[in-house]
Structure formats: C-alpha cells, structure tokens
C-alpha cells in the first residue's frame, strides 16, 4: 500500500464565503499547494523542473466531490497519492480531511508540457522519487 | 434544443498566474458567476431563494476538463445549460469559450439545501423559469 | 472638474467571506479591474503598453479606507480619477460605491517600469488619452 | 523594544499573476493570515472572540507600500507588531520579508465591532496577551 504525502493547512477568512464555509473553488487551490509540496518532498520544484527538464505541469482534468464543508479556523490535511505516471501524464488522488474525516475528494490529471505546450515525458527522477517515497501504488511504478 | 445562458467576462490580472495563463481554479469562479446570473435571468437570486424557499445551492460534484488556456485581457463567454432538475439536484453543463472556441468544460451538480444542510426540493418556479427561458433540454423538464 | 471613469461590477460568492461581506483585499482586485478598463477606455491595454512602450504598471503604494461593507449580489461602481501623471508615476483615486454611496476609497500610486524593473516615462499618448477623456484634473495635465 | 509575531508562508501558484510575481492584493491576505495566527498566539481566535466578547475585527484602513516583488516558491515571513490598542481600535505594522529583506510594509487599523457594527472596547485579555508576549511597544500598553 502506498503512503500519502500530507500537507496541513489552516482555513483563513480569505478561503471562506458568505455561506460561512470554505468557497468550493478554494479546495482546488489547497490541492495545488499540496502538489507543489509533493514536488519539494521528492527533491524538486517548479523552477527546477523547468530549468532541468524544460517542462511545467498543467491541470488537464479534475473530478471533485464535495462531501462536507470546512469552516474558518479549521485545520485541514491534504493527503495526496500518486495514482498514475504514464508518458506525459501524472494522476493524483487528493483527499482533503479534517480530523481524519474526508471533506473533499479530488482526482486530478496533470500533463507535463513544454512552455509551447508540447507534451513531454515525465522526468524519470520524478517517478523514481515518488516510488522511493512510497507515494506510488506498487502496481503503477 | 435548449439555449444556453451566456455571461461575458474579462480576464484580469487577479485571474492569472505565473504561468502567464488563467489559474485553473479560477474557471470554477467564472462558472459560479454564471450560475448566479442564471438565477437572475429567471427572476430570482441567492437572497430571494433563501427568503422564499429557505434554501441555498451547494456544489456537490464538479468534473472539469481544461482544454485550452485563457490569457490576460481575453474576453470569455460562459455558456450554461441546465442538464438535470430532479428532486434536490440541479445539473448544469458550463462551457467557457473564447471566440466561440471551448476552453474549459464543467459539469457541475448542485444540491438545494437548508442552512442546516437538509436537502430541499428545487423550487417549482425555478424549474419553470429554466423551461420558459429554454435553458432546459426538452427531455428533462 | 475631471470626470471619473466608471466600471460596474457585481459581487459574487467568490468575493465574500465568512463575515457575510466582501473580503477586504478583494476591493483591491475590483480597483485593478477598473484600472485595466481605464487603459482600454483610452485605447490601449497591458499587452500593447508592453509591446509599444516596453513597460508594465506596478503598484507602488495603496492607501485604503474601508467605510462600509458590500454584500453578496450588490452592484458596485468603481469610479477612477487620475490624480497625478509625473515621470514614471501614475496616481489614481478610486472610489468604490453602491447606489452612489462611497464604500471604499483607494488612493493608489503606480510606477511604469520595464520588465527588468527600471522606471520608464509614462507614454505621452496615455497622458494625452487621460486628458482627452477628462479623467485628468486640469491642473495636472 | 517589542517583539514581532512571525508567520512563515510559502508562495504558491494561486498567489502569483501573469507578471510572474505575487499579485499585489494577495499581500493583504498574507497579512490577514498573520493577524489570525497572532490571535491564536495570545490564546484566542475569531470564534472565541465572538462567543466571549460579542465582537469581530474589521479592517478600517490599510496603508501598503510595495517595495520588492515576491515570486513563486518564495518562503516569506510576515512580522506583525502591535502599534496601538486604544478603545475599539487595534493598530498593527506588518512587514512581509524574504530572507530578512522587507518586501511589503502594511500599516493596518482594525476596529473591534459587534455583528451589527457598533464599536466595542478591545477585550482587556487581548491587550494583556499582546503585552505578555511583548508584541506591544511599552509605550502603548
């Protein structure tokens, strides 16, 4: 079984809306923060991926289920698991939780592309890093 | 064939990110603006729905496909079609376009709920309004 | 007396916070939208200023007074007046109103700079455009 | 000399704009996060202030100087000092830094108000907390 990467974050006023809860689109921002920290966890970041591999990640598809609402001052954890690394595509399942209870579930597919939008192969070091950190399920490595 | 509701909007600096394009989560905000204007187009708004029917809309599920990127100063149109009105659920397909070309496609499912989160039936007047404006496909009315 | 440039905008859920009002930082976004439309009103935009004059505007200073709160679904108007055009600096007073009543007052100073951050003279055509549209007070033209 | 409260934060894609730098209004969000954590540092939070003292903080005035730009992946620190606690007003100076160098300086004045907008006296425990943590200059306690 693979391990999730975990990012903890606090809900601030900027994240909430007049319904008194976190604005729905904001969970995609939380998920993106977690993906950025996932890169850092395997020893790279956006600038290095561009400098060393000539690519950036672009979101291609997201499926989001909003189950329960988070509120101001909540402490949330984004659990990120790598579900797929094939060709130019990176699949992730991101589970945003409060006190261990799932609030929002995001399945996201990213493409690794050049600045002029051509698909690039995922850097081998990245896939290896995911495997070494056990973020990858054994069947997809 | 049903007609889409259309909302035009401009891309401003606040909508973009360091990749030089519109930040992906921002399209969900654009879609929400269009849903708010859809309500207004059929003669109601958030405050009236709460006052008259005791309910608010909450996003339950969103499926988003990011096909092409919008950029600073682009003029976009959000086309919104009602795809489903059953029980407490409202389904919408929202197509964000530039010069007639689809950039981002969003299928979203909303629940009409009380402030204490119980599902409520969609107000009949709302469904009738969608039908009168031809936002509804004939088969789902 | 100079005329203000006017931009009307609607308050959406994304603009509000759990206090039930517009999140304070959001008024700076509204003001920036108005500045972007002010450029368009005098016949230019961000891309053309960069292409033709090699410069972009950067906010150097902002003084913001929050007097009254805007709420969901409010229709606001941002009134923008040019207060200063000297060297590389552009000063604006932006008054965000609802039904003619001032909610938030912003005095902002922008610098016109090259992408490598050197100050540039304001394009003469821009200053002339502000004067022609009467956005400029007669004493500063 | 009083001590600043410090909050470290990372710059993510959501914070940046097409100029490749942090969007100017976003620094006000960073400052608000730091004020929320300042409350927590003295043993309270938004919900408790409302429950125990019937009040919330509203921003009344902000003076912002943008000196240098932050970029994607930067690690920033928001240093917050209490400058004034008189009647219903709380004054703060917030310095947003990268590697010890000041990027953005914010002087902000907050009012402690009831939900129906009447000014309330700052809770004595809050002022005492600021003093105990040395966030207050000795002359303003």
């Amino acid at each position: 079984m693979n391990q999730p990467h975990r990012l903890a974050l606090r809900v601030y006023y900027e994240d909430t809306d007049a319904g008194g809860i976190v604005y729905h689109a904001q969970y995609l921002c939380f998920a993106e923060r977690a993906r950025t920290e996932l890169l850092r966890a395997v020893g790279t970041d956006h600038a290095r991926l561009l400098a060393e591999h000539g690519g950036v990640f672009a979101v291609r598809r997201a499926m989001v289920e909003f189950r329960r609402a988070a509120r101001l001052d909540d402490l949330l954890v984004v659990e990120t698991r790598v579900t797929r690394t094939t060709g130019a595509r990176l699949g992730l399942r991101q589970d945003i939780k409060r006190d261990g209870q799932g609030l929002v579930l995001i399945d996201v597919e990213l493409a690794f592309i050049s600045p002029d939008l051509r698909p690039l192969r995922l850097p081998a070091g990245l896939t290896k890093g995911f495997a070494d950190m056990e973020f990858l399920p054994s069947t997809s490595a």
Side-chain angles (χ1 to χ4, degrees), chain A:
Chain A
M1 179 51 194
N2 58 330
Q3 294 298 311
H5 171 270
R6 287 191 174 88
L7 174 69
L9 54 86
R10 178 76 63 183
V11 175
Y12 295 110
Y13 264 117
E14 66 188 283
D15 305 313
T16 61
D17 71 19
I21 57 178
V22 169
Y23 184 67
H24 72 293
Q26 196 61 24
Y27 296 103
L28 285 188
C29 301
F30 295 166
E32 195 275 330
R33 294 183 201 175
R35 294 194 299 271
T36 291
E37 296 300 339
L38 175 74
L39 292 182
R40 214 182 307 280
V42 297
T44 188
D45 60 33
H46 299 300
R48 289 186 59 179
L49 284 176
L50 185 58
E52 298 175 4
H53 302 280
V56 297
F57 280 106
V59 181
R60 281 292 176 246
R61 195 182 309 267
M63 212 288 296
V64 194
E65 277 188 46
F66 302 91
R67 296 169 173 178
R68 289 176 190 82
R71 292 177 182 280
L72 184 65
D73 279 334
D74 278 354
L75 188 62
L76 306 181
V77 174
V78 186
E79 293 188 357
T80 302
R81 287 174 175 83
V82 180
T83 53
R84 178 184 162 198
T85 57
T86 47
R89 296 295 169 118
L90 176 62
L92 302 166
R93 165 157 285 201
Q94 301 191 273
D95 209 347
I96 303 178
K97 297 182 169 180
R98 180 187 52 209
D99 297 334
Q101 188 179 51
L103 306 183
V104 176
L105 184 66
I106 304 177
D107 277 304
V108 65
E109 188 178 283
L110 307 163
F112 192 62
I113 59 173
S114 66
D116 62 339
L117 309 181
R118 284 175 304 110
L120 300 174
R121 286 195 70 82
L122 288 175
L126 198 61
T127 304
K128 182 173 184 311
F130 292 149
D132 289 349
M133 296 292 285
E134 300 185 34
F135 296 146
L136 259 179
S138 51
T139 55
S140 79

